Amino acid sequence: MLAEELKQRAHKLEKIKKDAEEQAAKLEGVTLTIPTKVSSTGSIFGSVGNIQVAEALAKLGLTVDRKSIVIKDTVKKVGSYNAVIKLHKEVSVNIPFKVVAEA
């Protein structure tokens, strides 16, 4: 009985990892442009965070939980940044994004 449970658990964990790898393949090569309100000095009103990155991915038809998106730098100015999406403890994807002034 115990051996069967361990086998089923290993199969579930393998499937979860495989699903994460499939989603990582879809996200590979994606670059984002996030328009935001900017002052005359180039500073952003507020900041750009994981919510804005998740919304930009959703516009491309890619659903990612915002809690799995990690941005190391504080995004307070226009420029290029990187976000890491952690889909699984062994699977993560680096997504470059550019913050631009809203037209």
Side-chain angles (χ1 to χ4, degrees), residues 27-60:
L27 292 169
E28 203 65 45
V30 171
T31 56
L32 301 173
T33 302
I34 300 175
T36 186
K37 292 183 181 180
V38 178
S39 70
S40 59
T41 61
S43 296
I44 296 172
F45 294 115
S47 66
V48 173
N50 56 354
I51 295 171
Q52 289 82 3
V53 173
E55 288 172 353
L57 287 168
K59 288 179 184 175
L60 297 175

Side-chain angles (χ1 to χ4, degrees), residues 30-34 48-49 53 56 69-71 73 75 79-84 95-99:
V30 171
T31 56
L32 301 173
T33 302
I34 300 175
V48 173
V53 173
I69 300 171
V70 178
I71 302 172
D73 303 322
V75 182
S80 297
Y81 300 92
N82 282 314
V84 177
I95 303 287
F97 66 95
K98 188 180 284 186
V99 178

Side-chain angles (χ1 to χ4, degrees), residues 2 6 9 21 24 51 70 82 90 95:
L2 182 63
L6 289 174
R9 183 177 293 156
E21 288 172 345
I51 295 171
V70 178
N82 282 314
E90 298 174 13
I95 303 287

